[in-house]
Amino acid sequence: MLYDCRSLADRDRGIAAAIEAVKNGELVVLPTDTVYGIGADAFTPYAVTALRDAKGPGPQAPPPVLVGSRHTLDGLVFMLPKLARDLADAFWPGALTIIVEHAPSLQWDLGETGGAVAVRMPLHPVALEVLRETGPMAVSSANKLGQPAAKTAEEAREQLGYAVRIYLEAGASVDPEPSTIVDLTGDVPRLLRAGAIPFEKIRDVAPEIVAQDAES
């Protein structure tokens, strides 16, 4: 089912339907501030498996986790580095993904994560409304492996079809550039992927950060 969230009535119905679907372990496609994402409840293993299956066969990295509040980080991380909090305060909600060590007590199965998780709080009102009710969601780009990332929910539906229960349409992505990824699991923060937030701005908050290709 596709809901056009540019219509107020459809938006309310769509968000309610998406929240219910996620809580029932089903998949949804929702807009973010980068590209559209296909999401599942991060704590429902069969839903995360369904997400991978929907994307198609082939090697897949563990999906990032989207959250609806900066405070959610505290519940996901065993010991939250001060820099993680500083970066979240500076750039969340927004196109910054941070990789941190997750609490070992978390009952989830995102794949071979090595004890780490990539977390982001997107700057999109529809996504935030859903996330604040569902809690953390495992979210990957809404496309089949090897296909272009969807810039609308309609494009996502053309690729993913009936594998997804609810599609939330909010128009074309404003900024299809991917998020910037910073790894905070080591002694020195590392820029893993340059993206929508420039390296120079990240360095204003984390002067010691190094680009991955600059490591010796």
Side-chain angles (χ1 to χ4, degrees):
M1 184 75 177
L2 187 145
Y3 293 88
D4 190 342
C5 294
R6 293 166 293 188
S7 155
L8 186 59
D10 225 19
R11 173 192 170 115
D12 290 344
R13 287 194 296 266
I15 288 174
I19 291 167
E20 181 181 12
V22 173
K23 290 183 176 180
N24 287 337
E26 297 176 292
L27 302 182
V28 302
V29 161
L30 69 168
T32 76
D33 46 346
T34 54
V35 294
Y36 276 70
I38 176 175
D41 178 14
F43 294 99
T44 302
Y46 68 81
V48 178
T49 298
L51 187 158
R52 292 196 190 96
D53 290 345
K55 300 244 333 161
Q60 299 184 41
V65 170
L66 297 191
V67 297
S69 165
R70 287 190 288 269
H71 303 298
T72 305
L73 260 182
D74 293 313
L76 300 180
V77 181
F78 179 60
M79 291 185 64
L80 186 66
K82 180 180 182 299
L83 183 55
R85 200 180 305 277
D86 291 344
L87 287 168
D89 287 343
F91 299 111
W92 282 9
L96 174 68
T97 298
I98 59 174
I99 299 177
V100 291
E101 294 180 3
H102 67 71
S105 60
L106 290 182
Q107 298 298 308
W108 64 13
D109 183 8
L110 301 176
E112 295 297 325
T113 66
V117 62
V119 190
R120 187 166 86 84
M121 180 182 176
L123 180 58
H124 196 289
V126 171
L128 290 175
E129 278 195 55
V130 174
L131 288 162
R132 284 167 182 158
E133 293 298 324
T134 63
M137 287 177 61
V139 178
S140 183
S141 58
N143 57 278
K144 290 284 190 181
L145 289 177
Q147 297 299 312
K151 297 178 184 178
T152 67
E154 185 59 52
E155 285 183 12
R157 186 165 66 171
E158 290 172 2
Q159 295 191 46
L160 300 170
Y162 291 107
V164 172
R165 179 74 180 89
I166 300 295
Y167 291 85
L168 299 181
E169 180 67 81
S173 301
V174 176
D175 186 0
E177 190 172 6
S179 65
T180 300
I181 302 178
V182 175
D183 184 352
L184 300 177
T185 60
D187 294 332
V188 177
R190 294 181 298 141
L191 179 76
L192 295 191
R193 181 176 74 189
I197 299 177
F199 180 59
E200 292 72 22
K201 288 191 175 181
I202 301 293
R203 197 163 51 190
D204 287 343
V205 179
E208 66 275 37
I209 192 170
V210 296
Q212 185 165 255
D213 59 6
E215 294 181 272
S216 57

